[in-house]
Amino acid sequence: MKIVVFVKLVPDLVEELTVDPGGTTLDTTWLRMIINEFDDHAVEQAILLKEKTSTQVIVIAPDFDGVDEVLFTACAKGADQIIKLTGDFSSINNHALARAVASRIKILQPDLVLTGVQANNDIDGSIGPALAACLNQPFVGYVSGVTLEDNTAIVQKEYPGGVIAEMSITLPAVLGIQAAEQPPRYVAVSKVRQVMKTSNIDEQPLDELDNSGFPEVTRMFQSETSAHAEMITGSPDEIADRLVSVFKEKGILQRTNR
Amino acid sequence: MSQDIYVLIEHNQGQVAEISYVMLAAGRQLAGIHGSQLFAMLLGYQAQGLSLDIAADKLLYIDHPALKEFAQDAYLLTLTEIIKSRQPRVVLFGNTTIGSDIAGAVSIALGLDLASSCRYFTSDGKFVSQICGGKIMAEGNLSSGTTLLTMVPGGYKPEEGQSEHPPVIENFSPPVLDNLRIKNIKFIQPESFDIDISKESILISVGRGIQTRDNLELAENLANSLGGVVCASRPVIDQGWLPTTRLVGKSGKHVKPKVYIALGISGAPEHVEAITGSETIIAINTDPKAPIFDIATYGTETDLFDLIDVLVEKVEAAKAS
């Protein structure tokens, strides 16, 4: 069994986000990139499957700032091969990424492709369904559990309200991971450093990228909302007093019977 | 290409999803702008009954046993046939566990442009999408060909997509749906042993800002004091700190308590869509730009670790007075 995990880096939303002076893209000058948390779950799910069955895990990521650490970390967790796709990704969208990654995956011929179900900077749909269509394979997203049986994957797909659909998918297939069966494991920095000395990142240049498939953005702006919370300021004591009066107004404070 | 607007009706286990009505409301606006008709597409098996309150000019009904429940490959084959034969101006999908699985695949398969997470359309028909957890909006024109969009809730009232008059039904023959690779085996209902947070009137909800499992005790203390229940956003559930029955969000529960207290929750769109029915939202978050403050009634940037113990004391004192 061979599993490919596609991973990408996304803007860290804890940091301040600004729009480029051109007004149609994010300003990436000071943008801090981190692994897409759903992709982190996809890596974990692949490693969990590897621990249950004899499976080869290959992790692929496009070259964003910080990607080497992400790939070496995946390796320290148990990935067998790590591939960095190189090229100019400054204005890439998921359609272009899907086409480019599909061309690599066709060569690797995995039984299963895992990727995060979504990313915070998706603007032309998430990458999973597009990747599956490029490969002419079925796709199931919002997956929070995977079991492999011969040429079939049995998956748990999440629906609103906490309902879960159990589905079977004939392999090869692409899955969009919502959550691995357990939280992504922690690996010590020292172990990642050790892996950096003993493992190699396989660098593969990508040819020209085809960004078609997304309508033109004419304006990008910070979310401006018509409403904003009434902000309560002051010391914790003062804030607590104000909140207690809100609770009283709402009639949710039940007097203690004495 | 026609100028008509098509909406994919989402349903699961015999229930039409609310996002369908949101999309019908948006679709009605677009049909007005383009001077065209609004079509709903219902894929199902013996499911015509689901169409009764759908506010569309026409409902395209496609009946096949393989379409009884959502399966991405059967939907992909069917929708590509419909779009190829009808060539609509716009096709709307939910940015949901159904629509998001299918829209990108249709886009690649038919070479049509796709924009995701659209919240609303401007009066001149531009789409406005949200990215980066709702912090950034992107506005753009529809492409010259059929344009696909996935929609998030929040821009339109679901009631605007409902009608007392059932739409005119037009049957569309399904394509050959053989050799499908995805099969639904069964549905697993949420665990019934836990409380149902969608029925609680006071919720203390914790997010990533709670930092550690041990800190959940703070939320539990506040919940005990107020007679409420602790629930959480996705990152806390994924850590296994609370059971999935306590998940508030897109794939968890939608809640509508009297008071919803969000502790260290940033307010990602997947979470926000599930709490807008709350009467009062109190957000406690040290990030002044957290989107949660845009929908909260009250907010404070105080560190929850400085506030909660004091708040519990004051609540207890108020109860005793």
Side-chain angles (χ1 to χ4, degrees):
Chain A
M1 194 71 86
K2 192 193 276 184
I3 300 176
V4 165
V5 188
F6 175 74
V7 169
K8 72 171 180 172
L9 281 82
V10 294
D12 184 351
L13 299 185
V14 172
E15 305 286 320
E16 173 115 13
L17 301 173
T18 50
V19 175
D20 177 88
T24 59
T25 57
L26 274 184
D27 187 346
T28 53
T29 323
W30 303 105
L31 208 56
R32 199 165 82 97
M33 303 289 276
I34 54 169
I35 184 170
N36 171 27
E37 59 178 307
F38 300 101
D39 293 344
D40 203 13
H41 279 269
V43 170
E44 181 62 33
Q45 187 61 59
I47 303 296
L48 289 172
L49 289 168
K50 179 180 171 171
E51 287 169 352
K52 282 183 210 155
T53 48
S54 66
T55 302
Q56 186 193 2
V57 174
I58 304 168
V59 177
I60 302 185
D63 186 7
F64 287 108
D65 194 24
V67 73
D68 287 9
E69 197 184 326
V70 164
L71 286 170
F72 282 125
T73 303
C75 202
K77 288 177 178 181
D80 301 284
Q81 191 185 348
I82 43 179
I83 299 174
K84 175 164 76 177
L85 304 175
T86 58
D88 178 11
F89 301 116
S90 52
S91 59
I92 195 164
N93 64 26
N94 279 341
H95 278 71
L97 264 182
R99 291 184 192 105
V101 173
S103 71
R104 300 291 142 168
I105 288 177
K106 279 175 187 162
I107 298 164
L108 294 166
Q109 293 199 322
D111 303 279
L112 187 62
V113 176
L114 302 183
T115 190
V117 68
Q118 63 183 56
N120 67 35
N121 59 353
D122 288 342
I123 196 166
D124 56 336
S126 51
I127 193 158
L131 186 54
C134 292
L135 296 166
N136 195 23
Q137 290 179 10
F139 174 82
V140 177
Y142 299 88
V143 167
S144 59
V146 187
T147 315
L148 297 176
E149 292 173 3
D150 302 325
N151 69 335
T152 306
I154 306 292
V155 306
Q156 270 83 46
K157 175 181 172 69
E158 294 191 358
Y159 278 106
V163 175
I164 288 172
E166 191 167 280
M167 297 174 144
S168 79
I169 304 134
T170 309
L171 302 179
V174 181
L175 301 179
I177 301 295
Q178 166 83 57
E181 284 151 36
Q182 66 182 47
R185 66 196 66 195
Y186 171 79
V187 280
V189 178
S190 57
K191 195 173 174 195
V192 177
R193 286 216 185 100
Q194 205 181 340
V195 164
M196 283 177 172
K197 287 178 197 154
T198 53
S199 316
N200 285 316
I201 293 178
D202 179 3
E203 289 195 20
Q204 300 189 4
L206 283 183
D207 311 329
E208 216 159 283
L209 294 162
D210 171 11
N211 261 332
S212 66
F214 178 62
E216 185 198 4
V217 168
T218 49
R219 184 166 81 102
M220 200 174 266
F221 52 98
Q222 305 255 6
S223 188
E224 47 194 44
T225 49
S226 49
H228 195 273
E230 177 188 328
M231 297 305 283
I232 305 171
T233 54
S235 68
D237 230 45
E238 291 162 334
I239 292 165
D241 282 335
R242 178 76 180 96
L243 289 177
V244 167
S245 64
V246 170
F247 297 154
K248 281 183 184 161
E249 280 163 35
K250 288 275 132 196
I252 64 162
L253 280 191
Q254 303 296 321
R255 286 243 168 95
T256 324
N257 291 326
R258 307 195 149 198
Chain B
M1 186 176 71
S2 89
Q3 291 299 308
D4 294 332
I5 310 300
Y6 279 58
V7 170
L8 175 65
I9 301 301
E10 296 195 1
H11 60 95
N12 190 357
Q13 296 179 279
Q15 288 247 316
V16 174
E18 194 172 86
I19 190 72
S20 306
Y21 301 111
V22 170
M23 293 191 285
L24 288 166
R28 178 57 69 196
Q29 181 198 354
L30 286 177
I33 292 168
H34 293 276
S36 59
Q37 288 200 307
L38 175 61
F39 282 76
M41 297 181 282
L42 180 62
L43 283 58
Y45 183 54
Q46 299 173 350
Q48 293 97 324
L50 295 178
S51 68
L52 296 176
D53 65 346
I54 282 170
D57 298 314
K58 282 187 184 152
L59 180 125
L60 218 53
Y61 180 63
I62 305 92
D63 191 84
H64 194 284
L67 300 171
K68 184 167 186 287
E69 302 293 354
F70 175 70
Q72 194 255 6
D73 53 354
Y75 263 59
L76 178 60
L77 288 166
T78 307
L79 288 169
T80 47
E81 277 305 305
I82 296 173
I83 295 168
K84 272 194 288 188
S85 82
R86 300 301 183 102
Q87 305 205 2
R89 181 73 193 84
V90 168
V91 186
L92 302 180
F93 302 83
N95 192 66
T96 58
T97 51
I98 290 177
S100 295
D101 273 16
I102 188 80
V106 173
S107 169
I108 291 283
L110 296 179
L112 300 175
D113 287 0
L114 165 67
S116 52
S117 297
C118 171
R119 194 175 164 88
Y120 62 94
F121 294 93
T122 61
S123 56
D124 56 350
K126 288 182 171 175
F127 69 87
V128 181
S129 286
Q130 59 185 33
I131 56 167
C132 295
K135 286 185 167 183
I136 300 284
M137 308 299 282
E139 183 180 291
N141 295 312
L142 299 181
S143 304
S144 53
T146 299
T147 308
L148 315 176
L149 296 114
T150 68
M151 292 204 69
V152 295
Y156 301 87
K157 294 200 175 89
E159 305 87 81
E160 292 167 10
Q162 289 170 331
S163 168
E164 287 170 9
H165 309 288
V168 176
I169 294 184
E170 199 180 312
N171 287 301
F172 186 95
S173 300
V176 177
L177 296 174
D178 284 347
N179 301 319
L180 294 172
R181 289 178 284 178
I182 300 174
K183 286 192 179 67
N184 276 286
I185 302 171
K186 63 179 177 194
F187 283 97
I188 304 163
Q189 301 304 324
E191 298 153 84
S192 54
F193 55 81
D194 197 12
I195 47 145
D196 181 354
I197 53 170
S198 68
K199 299 201 170 98
E200 291 293 323
S201 62
I202 302 169
L203 291 173
I204 317 300
S205 195
V206 292
R208 205 188 296 272
I210 200 77
Q211 295 177 7
T212 69
R213 184 177 206 146
D214 290 346
N215 289 337
L216 275 181
E217 200 183 330
L218 283 172
E220 276 154 15
N221 292 346
L222 184 57
N224 289 338
S225 197
L226 289 170
V229 164
V230 176
C231 54
S233 65
R234 188 93 222 177
V236 172
I237 302 293
D238 285 349
Q239 287 297 319
W241 297 346
L242 281 171
T244 50
T245 45
R246 303 294 179 98
L247 172 62
V248 178
K250 187 169 170 176
S251 57
K253 288 279 169 73
H254 282 220
V255 298
K256 41 187 185 320
K258 276 182 109 153
V259 175
Y260 186 86
I261 304 178
L263 303 177
I265 290 177
S266 65
E270 296 79 20
H271 186 75
V272 165
E273 72 169 71
I275 63 171
T276 47
S278 309
E279 261 180 53
T280 300
I281 297 171
I282 299 169
I284 301 168
N285 197 310
T286 49
D287 175 8
K289 296 214 163 163
I292 189 85
F293 291 130
D294 298 334
I295 60 137
T297 332
Y298 300 98
T300 177
E301 291 166 34
T302 297
D303 195 325
L304 69 97
F305 299 109
D306 295 332
L307 180 66
I308 302 303
D309 285 340
V310 183
L311 183 59
V312 170
E313 265 175 45
K314 301 240 177 205
V315 168
E316 287 303 323
K319 276 160 59 180
S321 68

